Amino acid sequence: MTGDHQALALLLFSGFVAVTLGITTWVGRRRRGSAEEFYAGGRLFTPMENGFAIAGDYMSAASFLGISGLIALYGYDGLLYGVGFLVAWLVVLFLVAELVRNCGRFTLADVVAARMSERPVRIAAGTSSVVVSVLYLVAQMVGAGSLVALLLGRTSGAAQVWAVIGVGALMVIYVSLGGMRATTWIQIVKAVLLLGGTVVLTVLVLVRFHGDVDRLLLTAAERSGHGRAFLAPGLKYGGDWTARLDFISLGLALVLGTAGLPHILSRFYTVPTARAARRSVVWSIGLIGSFYLMTIVLGFGAAALVGPQAVRASNAAGNTAVPLLALDVGGGAGSTGGTVLFAVVAAVAFATILAVVAGITLASSASVAHDLYASLRRARDGAPRGEVAVARWAAVGVGVVAIALGLLARDLNVAFLVGLAFAVAASANLPALLYSLFWRGFTTRGAVWAVYGGLVPAIGLVLLSPVVSGSPDSLFPGVDFQYFPLENPGVVSIPLGFLAGWLGTVTSDEVADEGRYAETEVRSLTGAGAA
């Protein structure tokens, strides 16, 4: 990249960081220090505001950089991520949003533990939430490293390292100083910037092809080197039975995983009523749906204009397809338009990463403080001020872990990494959540077994998969302890989570409390007694 690219992009980076730090400082001065303020922003956001914040939380680096990159490299098969991410919101809308808002206070564990023995359930659900959040954070860190390495020069490994460290430091500042209120406004600003930038880029791609989508697709197929196979299923997931099963596994993880993501569930607590939570999801579906339709154009546009070979040469996983596309449609390398558009898109992508990591860090620190810390103190809700202080320190610890893992996994595709986080969420969190909401006979042992029965197999199968060892693209290519053939464990671990929850319940001596279930059912459906 030229010096003009670097200077302008860094100027825009700095501008966004300055604005968001200003928001954080302003909110930090106005905070009351209560747990409700830190975790839920005082529950004062409107459905539209929360809908934009949810969209900002959900439209991550995996969406903007990873999905477009996968489409540019693999054509039709890359569409699975976008379709899966969008369809998942139907599960959230119909099964989760309103009920979670009515039953909980701040975290997933609040819902699951509502009619159980709290301590073991909170420890299990809190542990799972932290694991899912860290996996999701790693994807954002990898995206940050790829983006800044492209900006400052691919030969500089130090650029990736310092980018990851810088994002980690900023997310700790956002969360520890501003809490949910600052995080929400950062996500709203980021959602507006991302949608605006995506619209501009999509229009420019379509203008280049005079609005002829068929011509766009045929050009992409021609430049891909695969011909019409680029526009048909099977280029990535259709080779043999293993690849096809991986396709099914990934689809299950994406569709079911959203309803178990801690940072998404925590957003439903920032509005005053269950109706507002449901309307928030409707707003977010419209925004997210529009965005994913545009990522399809960007992905095929990158294949047609930049070419898969150039994309792969810049970043083997395809994470830099959109910035390279912006450079091309703006006028090419060295042009003023290309320089400006590249810098704007890079800055928007960087803003995307910062906003998403802030939301995920807040959710994970809330799980550490509200679930794990409060449980170990044998207190039902913990001491609010002491709990908030623990949450702030937890944000630091989560940030350090995410930075370390982000540096380790920096050569993997960010959309693929998010797929792993979704698989763990769908395997561990979703079974416990759905059973606790809809199964009258569900017990404490069932809840604990459901969480660990999905979490342990999901993590274990990933460690034994081609992701970690046994292939040139794995984390440790020099060793081979690959015994599980699939890259995504969802097709195995999700059923195991539900099975473990059922088995734990039917083998338990505990008799489910009919009264507490009735109370939970009434609260979930009507909102009576909800926080």
Side-chain angles (χ1 to χ4, degrees):
M1 295 298 117
T2 66
D4 290 338
H5 290 93
Q6 295 178 18
L8 186 56
L10 289 174
L11 181 64
L12 291 170
F13 287 173
S14 302
F16 179 81
V17 170
V19 170
T20 52
L21 285 176
I23 293 173
T24 303
T25 303
W26 175 69
V27 171
R29 289 176 178 173
R30 299 175 67 247
R31 70 173 188 258
R32 298 191 302 269
S34 67
E36 184 175 62
E37 174 70 23
F38 185 81
Y39 295 140
R43 309 189 199 278
L44 298 176
F45 292 99
T46 66
M48 184 180 74
E49 290 170 345
N50 199 43
F52 269 88
I54 290 173
D57 220 349
Y58 197 66
M59 296 183 303
S60 65
S63 303
F64 191 51
L65 301 177
I67 293 176
S68 299
L70 285 174
I71 294 173
L73 296 181
Y74 300 107
Y76 183 95
D77 279 8
L79 292 174
L80 173 64
Y81 284 89
V83 173
F85 286 149
L86 183 56
V87 172
W89 278 101
L90 298 178
V91 179
V92 176
L93 177 62
F94 291 115
L95 290 181
V96 172
E98 186 175 357
L99 304 183
V100 165
R101 171 61 188 82
N102 285 337
C103 289
R105 292 188 64 209
F106 305 126
T107 65
L108 166 71
D110 287 339
V111 182
V112 180
R115 58 191 183 93
M116 312 289 179
S117 297
E118 287 204 28
R119 190 180 185 192
V121 173
R122 283 191 180 277
I123 291 174
T127 301
S128 175
S129 295
V130 172
V131 171
V132 172
S133 297
V134 169
L135 285 174
Y136 212 115
L137 278 173
V138 170
Q140 312 311 313
M141 296 298 186
V142 171
S146 299
L147 192 65
V148 176
L150 175 66
L151 178 66
L152 300 179
R154 295 189 304 274
T155 58
S156 175
Q160 288 189 346
V161 173
W162 284 110
V164 170
I165 294 173
V167 170
L170 284 170
M171 77 183 186
V172 170
I173 292 172
Y174 291 148
V175 172
S176 60
L177 294 183
M180 178 59 84
R181 193 184 296 272
T183 298
T184 298
W185 282 111
I186 291 169
Q187 288 162 345
I188 291 172
V189 172
K190 166 256 173 150
V192 173
L193 290 175
L194 180 60
L195 287 168
T198 308
V199 167
V200 170
L201 206 53
T202 301
V203 169
L204 289 175
V205 170
L206 293 176
V207 166
R208 179 72 72 89
F209 291 92
H210 307 288
D212 189 343
V213 177
D214 284 346
R215 185 179 167 197
L216 166 63
L217 296 176
L218 291 174
T219 305
E222 181 181 346
R223 289 206 64 180
S224 71
H226 298 284
R228 292 298 183 101
F230 191 71
L231 306 178
L235 197 60
K236 181 174 175 61
Y237 294 109
D240 53 19
W241 71 267
T242 303
R244 295 177 184 179
L245 195 58
D246 225 347
F247 181 90
I248 296 172
S249 185
L250 177 61
L252 281 173
L254 296 180
V255 171
L256 298 178
T258 300
L261 291 176
H263 67 288
I264 297 297
L265 295 176
S266 66
R267 292 238 54 93
F268 301 135
Y269 301 127
T270 63
V271 289
T273 65
R275 182 171 181 267
R278 189 171 62 251
R279 290 175 61 198
S280 298
V281 177
V282 174
W283 268 100
S284 65
I285 287 176
L287 296 169
I288 292 167
S290 302
F291 172 76
Y292 281 122
L293 287 175
M294 290 187 286
T295 60
I296 297 173
V297 177
L298 299 185
F300 283 110
L305 298 174
V306 180
Q309 291 75 22
V311 171
R312 193 174 277 109
S314 173
N315 181 271
N319 294 329
T320 56
V322 172
L324 292 175
L325 175 64
L327 185 64
D328 188 280
V329 298
S335 66
T336 301
T339 298
V340 171
L341 194 56
F342 172 87
V344 169
V345 168
V348 168
F350 196 69
T352 295
I353 292 166
L354 287 179
V356 172
V357 297
I360 302 169
T361 305
L362 180 60
S364 57
S365 63
S367 294
V368 171
H370 185 63
D371 298 327
L372 301 179
Y373 169 72
S375 297
L376 293 175
R377 289 190 61 204
R378 300 180 180 272
R380 180 173 183 179
D381 294 318
R385 290 188 180 276
E387 188 179 302
V388 170
V390 171
R392 298 186 200 282
W393 282 107
V396 177
V398 170
V400 171
V401 173
I403 288 170
L405 293 177
L407 294 175
L408 181 65
R410 61 179 178 264
D411 293 326
L412 297 180
N413 182 277
V414 288
F416 165 74
L417 288 170
V418 167
L420 295 182
F422 273 62
V424 178
S427 303
N429 293 346
L430 188 63
L433 180 61
L434 293 184
Y435 278 150
S436 64
L437 289 173
F438 299 110
W439 187 5
R440 183 182 301 273
F442 197 44
T443 64
T444 300
R445 177 189 285 182
V448 173
W449 283 26
V451 172
Y452 291 129
L455 177 64
V456 174
I459 298 298
L461 292 176
V462 168
L463 293 176
L464 299 176
S465 74
V467 176
V468 176
S469 71
S471 69
D473 298 327
S474 60
L475 288 177
F476 304 105
V479 295
D480 186 0
F481 46 88
Q482 172 195 335
Y483 298 102
F484 182 67
L486 306 183
E487 292 185 347
N488 191 292
V491 71
V492 176
S493 59
I494 294 172
L496 284 178
F498 281 97
L499 178 62
W502 172 82
L503 189 62
T505 298
V506 298
T507 59
S508 174
D509 295 330
E510 176 188 356
V511 178
D513 190 326
E514 295 283 340
R516 293 179 71 180
Y517 175 76
E519 179 184 345
T520 301
E521 186 176 34
V522 170
R523 177 183 296 179
S524 68
L525 295 175
T526 67

